[in-house]
């Protein structure tokens, strides 16, 4: 039996919304609220909606290089809204966005510089990795600006964009403490990832600021995705923590599933938090308390940064403020007020 393709009308019927509203939410229109957009994207992700590629010709373009765990072709994936924001901002200036997936061989060799050397490239955005030094050396004379998500590169025309990882994790640890949690674990991605390192350091520093002891046995690393979560989350749970800070929603949702398979109840036995506010965090059971990175704004900001650098303005880092989204995956043990000096 053939699987029916989910349509915008199907999503509208499920949510009781106008088809035009759903279409605006998926296409990145600015005249609807963020809350409505979140509802639509969460529902679209749950229903398995597939985004149809648009083919538009532009005389100038921006190249987006993607590798690794950054996926973008479905509305519930991390890269989707970043691309959406970038495309929306670029289209207003008559500039196209070309997406290029990088292979393992290209990642190691840096031999993808020819993609931006055609003369009509306004800049490049890197999602999931930072450019190889071979790439940098080949484009240095072309004065092509680069924007890298959550990574740093030693190149005059390169800048970093993202949300304040350290601030977001610090706020989450404080939130858990204010709800009575003193034993807090940490579930990270790849240990050599800059994002993992920054978020772990923020977690460790936040514990110290609150006078809490860090249990090294309750800190585990692995992947940003669900791969291999079971062993790591159960190891953390066995240390007696009451809460676990996960550095992605995919990790958090997988952790909840594995904990409940092992007989734990979330959040009654152990609380779990995520990061990103992907649609999956909204329709997880229980719904995941998380930090919201406005990925549409990240995409739009990346475009503005490229424009500014093309105008001769030097930029190093642009960091957006994340927002705590409180849901049902954290147990209230006791209410506390954060000391004024720690706010």
């Amino acid at each position: 039996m053939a699987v029916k393709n989910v349509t915008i009308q199907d999503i509208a019927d499920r949510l009781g919304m106008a088809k035009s509203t759903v279409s605006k939410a998926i296409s990145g229109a600015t005249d609807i609220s963020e809350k409505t957009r979140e509802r639509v994207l969460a529902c679209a992700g749950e229903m398995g909606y597939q985004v149809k590629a648009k083919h538009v010709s532009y005389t100038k373009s921006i190249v987006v290089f993607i590798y690794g765990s950054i996926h973008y072709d479905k509305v519930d994936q991390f890269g989707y809204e970043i691309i959406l924001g970038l495309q929306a901002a670029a289209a207003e200036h008559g500039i196209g966005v070309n997406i290029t997936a990088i292979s393992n061989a290209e990642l190691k060799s840096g031999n993808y510089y020819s993609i931006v050397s055609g003369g009509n490239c306004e800049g490049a955005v890197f999602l999931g990795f930072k450019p190889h030094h071979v790439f940098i050396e080949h484009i240095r004379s072309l004065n092509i600006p680069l924007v890298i998500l959550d990574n740093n590169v030693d190149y005059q025309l390169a800048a970093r964009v993202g949300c304040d990882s350290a601030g977001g994790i610090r706020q989450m640890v404080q939130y858990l403490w204010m709800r009575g949690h003193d034993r807090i674990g940490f579930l990270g991605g790849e240990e050599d990832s800059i994002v993992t390192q920054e978020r772990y350091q923020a977690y460790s520093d936040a514990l110290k600021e609150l006078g809490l002891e860090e249990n090294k046995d309750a800190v585990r690393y692995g992947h940003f995705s669900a791969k291999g979560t079971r062993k790591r989350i159960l190891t953390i749970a066995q240390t007696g923590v009451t809460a676990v800070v996960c550095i992605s929603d995919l990790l958090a949702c997988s952790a909840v599933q594995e904990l409940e398979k092992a007989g734990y109840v979330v959040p009654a036995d152990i609380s779990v938090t995520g990061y990103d506010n992907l649609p999956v965090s909204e329709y997880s059971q229980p719904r995941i308390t998380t930090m919201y990175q406005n990925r549409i704004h990240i995409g739009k900001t990346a475009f503005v940064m490229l424009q500014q650098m093309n105008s001769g303005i030097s930029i190093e880092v642009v960091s957006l403020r994340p927002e705590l989204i409180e849901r049902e995956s954290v147990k209230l043990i006791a209410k506390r007020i954060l000391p004024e000096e720690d706010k």
Side-chain angles (χ1 to χ4, degrees):
M1 182 178 177
V3 178
K4 179 181 180 294
N5 289 329
V6 177
T7 66
I8 288 177
Q9 186 63 60
D10 293 332
I11 300 169
D13 292 342
R14 169 79 71 87
L15 293 172
M17 290 182 180
K19 181 179 178 181
S20 59
T21 301
V22 173
S23 179
K24 287 180 179 181
I26 290 175
S27 65
T30 58
D31 57 342
I32 63 170
S33 69
E34 287 296 329
K35 185 175 182 180
T36 298
R37 189 190 314 281
E38 287 178 23
R39 283 189 63 206
V40 170
L41 293 179
C43 181
E46 184 180 10
M47 294 177 70
Y49 176 75
Q50 295 275 355
V51 182
K52 295 180 180 178
K54 295 180 180 179
H55 301 283
V56 183
S57 296
Y58 293 96
T59 57
K60 295 182 179 180
S61 65
I62 291 168
V63 177
V64 179
F65 291 105
I66 294 184
Y67 176 80
S69 60
I70 304 290
H71 301 291
Y72 66 93
D73 55 344
K74 295 181 181 179
V75 295
D76 59 346
Q77 294 175 331
F78 182 84
Y80 175 79
E81 290 182 65
I82 295 177
I83 299 295
L84 200 65
L86 185 61
Q87 288 174 329
E92 291 179 3
H93 293 79
I95 297 173
V97 175
N98 297 323
I99 302 170
T100 299
I102 296 299
S103 67
N104 278 319
E106 289 171 322
L107 180 74
K108 294 174 181 177
S109 69
N111 290 330
Y112 42 86
Y113 47 82
S114 61
I115 297 171
V116 299
S117 57
N120 67 340
C121 181
E122 293 287 296
V125 177
F126 287 76
L127 305 181
F129 72 112
K130 66 179 182 180
H132 194 282
H133 68 86
V134 170
F135 175 89
I136 296 295
E137 290 306 314
H138 276 83
I139 70 160
R140 196 178 293 276
S141 63
L142 301 177
N143 291 324
I144 295 175
L146 311 177
V147 172
I148 300 95
L149 176 69
D150 291 331
N151 227 316
N152 304 307
V153 174
D154 184 17
Y155 169 54
Q156 187 176 2
L157 289 176
R160 171 176 173 166
V161 70
C163 279
D164 180 5
S165 282
I169 292 294
R170 180 173 182 265
Q171 185 179 354
M172 185 63 80
V173 173
Q174 291 175 341
Y175 168 79
L176 290 170
W177 180 86
M178 291 168 66
R179 294 182 70 82
H181 295 271
D182 292 326
R183 301 189 305 278
I184 303 170
F186 178 87
L187 182 57
E190 288 83 354
E191 193 168 359
D192 60 353
S193 158
I194 286 181
V195 172
T196 295
Q197 292 171 359
E198 290 179 345
R199 293 182 186 177
Y200 164 71
Q201 192 60 55
Y203 154 83
S204 182
D205 290 345
L207 292 182
K208 291 176 184 176
E209 290 170 2
L210 294 167
L212 303 180
E213 182 179 350
E214 179 182 341
N215 183 347
K216 295 296 184 181
D217 291 332
V219 175
R220 286 292 178 267
Y221 303 98
H223 301 272
F224 282 94
S225 65
K227 183 179 179 181
T229 303
R230 180 176 178 81
K231 181 178 179 181
R232 290 178 287 144
I233 190 61
L234 294 185
T235 298
I236 294 173
Q238 288 163 7
T239 66
V241 298
T242 61
V244 181
V245 173
C246 301
I247 69 165
S248 78
D249 288 337
L250 295 178
L251 274 178
C253 291
S254 179
V256 169
Q257 293 172 2
E258 296 300 341
L259 285 167
E260 296 197 336
K261 286 179 185 176
Y264 294 90
V265 177
V266 178
D269 297 327
I270 186 167
S271 298
V272 176
T273 68
Y275 205 106
D276 293 331
N277 195 35
L278 292 178
V280 67
S281 68
E282 173 70 23
Y283 55 79
S284 171
Q285 292 297 325
R287 298 188 308 153
I288 303 295
T289 292
T290 187
M291 294 303 301
Y292 175 38
Q293 297 193 78
N294 191 319
R295 294 174 295 283
I296 288 180
H297 287 181
I298 290 175
K300 290 182 175 180
T301 300
F303 176 78
V304 172
M305 292 167 69
L306 290 174
Q307 278 200 314
Q308 295 296 305
M309 286 189 284
N310 274 323
S311 299
I313 298 174
S314 179
I315 302 174
E316 184 175 357
V317 178
V318 175
S319 185
L320 283 65
R321 190 186 303 275
E323 176 188 353
L324 176 67
I325 304 296
E326 186 176 4
R327 296 195 178 111
E328 295 87 36
S329 65
V330 174
K331 179 181 179 180
L332 175 62
I333 298 174
K335 287 187 178 181
R336 293 169 173 161
I337 298 176
L338 195 66
E340 191 65 33
E341 62 270 20
D342 290 333
K343 291 183 179 178

